[in-house]
Amino acid sequence: MAAGVGKTFSMLGDAKSDVARGLDVVIGYLEAHGRRETEELAIGIERLPLREGQYRSVTIREFDLDAALQRRPEVLLVDELAHTNAPGSRHAKRWQDIVELLDAGVSVRTTVNIQHVESLRDVVAQVTGVSVQETVPDSFFDVADEVELVDLPPDELHKRLEEGKVYVPEKVDQAILGFFRRSNLLALRELALRHTAERVDEEMRQIRTLQDVREPWHTRQRILVYVEPNRMAPRVVRAARRLASDLHADLVAVRVESPGQGVSSDAGRAELEAALALAENLGVRTVALAGEDVVAEVIRYAQSENVTTIVVGKAVRRRWLDMVFGSVTDRLIRACGEIDVMVITGAEESGNPLLVRRKPEPSTWQSYAATLGILALCTTIGFLMVRRFDLANIVMVYLLGVAVISVRYGRRESLLGAVLGVALFDVCFVPPHGTFAVTDAQYVVTFGVMLVVSVLISSLTLRLKEQTRSTLKQERETAALYEVSRQLASSRKREEMAAIAARKAALITGAEAVVFAKGDEGRPQVLSPSATGYESDAKELGVVGWVFDHGRPAGTGTDTLSGAVGMYLPLMGSEGCVGVLGLRPPQAQSLDTGRHLVESIAHQLGLALDRTQLAKESHEASLRVEREKLRSSLLSGVSHDLRTPLASIQGSASSLVEQSDLSERSRTLATTVYEESVRMAKLIRDLLDMSRFEGVGVELHLDWHSLEELIGSAILRTENLFETPIHHNVASDLPLLRLDGVLVEQVFVNLLENAARHAGAGTRVEVVAVRGDRGVEVSVRDNGPGIAKGEEEAVFEKFWKRGGTGFGLGLAICRAVMTAHGGNISARNRHEGGAEFKLRFQSEVSHEGW
């Protein structure tokens, strides 16, 4: 709930217990605040050195993320979760450091006070009067595996303060009268208890789901928060996030691009973007809509998504402006129908006024001169018409002039034209001429109507211009995306795709663009270089490597590695990051303009590169299949043709060896011919077996067999290959297995022959068969040189050889037989030396044709 309750002390106490149990626990960062008890408790736990850096001539000691990643303990202790890292650090916030540690497989324990939870920031500020700047997104808090509440009654905390266990004695009175007032502590304690209770409730709901307990409700709440471009937007987003958490509801944040409702300043646009970024950090899905009527677009989207509640901030303009122009809040309440609307309040001065028009275009003396010229032309035309036409027609001329001014120029010129038009009409054409005096009172009504109509024409024309401008902007963005998509679809080479996307991104943002892909050994490879080659800097390449590893944006304009020169966006494919798009903005400029469009281009480029890779892999796989088919057909045909002459050679050589009248030289030659013919016959038999398994299939002759008998028979057939007896240990409780005895016996023979060939005749071979959870496991082990690292799977490929005199088919046949029986075979190196082949048989194998 607050500092001083004992979070760090409790974390260290648990760590002590874990170290005593043999767990690898390391302190990455510890903030003891000078408390002697805390420092003493940390003794005996390994502690990583801190990283030192200079900032404005001050030495700053920070958590060393790289040292933690290199050490990789089972559990790392990192104090002060909400801490902001020093400028120049890899990440802006410490919680982002922890995200990288989690991605690397390191478990982390950390501490945080309730006031640092992002969605509770406004509540804490209202209760304590202190606006907390260092916060942690709720989305990060929600993914924690476990949250432990460290609770302490306010009176006990006051006692700790008075004893000097929290702050130095000089600050105790100030703390108790300030942030640590009893009322503040009670409110913070309640927030901490409630927030922890929400997690307990969520865990209980997950358990109910896993145990298939029927839910007590039938519908799910869906909440939509409408984000307006003013300073209340972050407050509204946080309130909606809290509401969604309380109701366990889905939450979506919506903004609307409307020509009739624009942002009054660049600050308003920045506030809108900041609020949307806050929503994404809180784990909220964001949606951008476009339309002339904001309320109609919000209601339409809410109805299509089955939204139950709309959250919106109260109007922050002056009341008379709402009465004249209306407000989004009032219109939403009237148009919501069956959807509930929740209005979030805030201080009047906290809002940035939301005007009904965009920032006016800058006026020039030329535009004002042109306005006066158009009015002078209307007056001249009026003098030409006054003797033949009624004054109402002259009024139409002035209204036409105001419309022309509105079309060509801005709001100020239009209003000037409307007012001056009425004045000129009065002075030049209404008796008495040359004065503003009016003899007939009915002309007062004419002036009023003329002014109102002029202003309305001006407003409608300007709105039409703004709508046209907005439509053109959307059309340009759509056309740009379509052009990129069309060009990417017609390209086949990665370099061409990268160049297309880089050119378009540079055109949109005015920045230098570069595209990377993964090269050899995972290093970044430039597909489309920038004009200046800034990407060759080692620092920039390090940022690119980080984006590849984590699949998240980094660099300038982001919260990660913001000290980089460029901003780098990941190009995501079906299996992760396939590339990186880098943008280096011009000097003293940001990349906010067009960023969403560039992110869309990056998404398209990622899909295109992924498609290219998949097409390449598919083509290679197709070639491999065709190559295997051709090779199998050729081997099958050749093997059949060789069997008959080879049998004759083998028989003739055997007869020659048995003749007693042969010379020693002739007997030696005949023996060589016989042995090689036997070897060739085995090769042909193996080739035929493989061709049958890969071709039309082999029908398994299944029957109930004892593995002990099959293993014994295989040992008898191969015992002459070894200098020492083959050891076998078959469990007595093995069940009978339904399998093809001939093929399975051949598997054992192949494994034993493989051991003799690669480990040598003097190797010690052991066959062990045990009963497993899902069947029977058989291990064939030797104490030879083992398998080369990384080739544990390659040894089962056809014709794979690494020395020896074999043909590389024996293990391939073993896998084919095991697969046909619904089992599997794997290989590994033993810790004590040698190789081990493990076979897994199912207890029951159904009769299936192959």
Side-chain angles (χ1 to χ4, degrees), residues 569-753:
L569 303 175
L571 308 177
M572 303 305 294
S574 58
E575 297 183 357
C577 184
V578 297
V580 173
L581 172 63
L583 297 169
R584 181 188 183 186
Q587 294 294 330
Q589 292 187 23
S590 66
L591 290 172
D592 293 336
T593 303
R595 176 166 176 175
H596 289 291
L597 185 57
V598 172
E599 289 175 348
S600 299
I601 292 176
H603 177 68
Q604 288 192 355
L605 178 58
L607 295 179
L609 293 176
D610 191 43
R611 185 191 70 237
T612 302
Q613 182 63 26
L614 292 176
K616 179 181 178 182
E617 293 176 357
S618 176
H619 180 65
E620 291 176 351
S622 177
L623 290 179
R624 284 197 301 269
V625 170
E626 293 298 325
R627 187 165 56 247
E628 289 298 325
K629 286 182 178 179
L630 179 60
R631 184 164 60 181
S632 297
S633 300
L634 179 61
L635 291 176
S636 177
V638 171
S639 300
H640 278 289
D641 291 339
L642 288 176
R643 291 187 73 178
T644 300
L646 188 60
S648 300
I649 294 172
Q650 186 176 350
S652 301
S654 175
S655 300
L656 287 174
V657 171
E658 294 174 355
Q659 291 184 6
S660 58
D661 56 345
L662 283 180
S663 65
E664 189 63 29
R665 176 179 175 77
S666 298
R667 188 178 302 279
T668 301
L669 292 175
T671 302
T672 301
V673 172
Y674 175 74
E675 290 175 351
E676 290 301 318
S677 65
V678 171
R679 181 168 171 266
M680 184 63 69
K682 183 180 184 304
L683 170 61
I684 293 175
R685 184 175 66 252
D686 289 344
L687 289 173
L688 290 174
D689 289 342
M690 284 304 302
S691 64
R692 285 201 304 270
F693 277 111
E694 295 179 341
V696 296
V698 174
E699 183 178 356
L700 299 180
H701 300 285
L702 301 176
D703 202 352
W704 296 102
H705 291 273
S706 168
L707 271 185
E708 184 175 11
E709 294 179 359
L710 297 178
I711 293 172
S713 177
I715 291 175
L716 288 176
R717 290 172 57 184
T718 56
E719 61 184 357
N720 62 321
L721 302 177
F722 299 94
E723 297 175 357
T724 60
I726 299 174
H727 301 270
H728 63 283
N729 183 10
V730 180
S732 59
D733 61 343
L734 295 186
L736 294 177
L737 298 180
R738 195 163 181 264
L739 43 77
D740 189 318
V742 175
L743 292 178
V744 172
E745 181 180 332
Q746 187 62 43
V747 168
F748 293 129
V749 170
N750 288 356
L751 291 175
L752 293 172
E753 290 178 346

Side-chain angles (χ1 to χ4, degrees), residues 67 150 194-195 242 417 468 497 661 730 807 843:
V150 182
R194 285 182 177 275
H195 212 64
R242 291 196 303 272
T468 303
M497 296 177 177
D661 56 345
V730 180
F807 304 102
S843 296

Side-chain angles (χ1 to χ4, degrees), residues 451-463:
L451 180 61
V452 171
V453 172
S454 298
V455 172
L456 287 176
I457 290 176
S458 172
S459 299
L460 292 174
T461 305
L462 289 173
R463 175 173 291 189

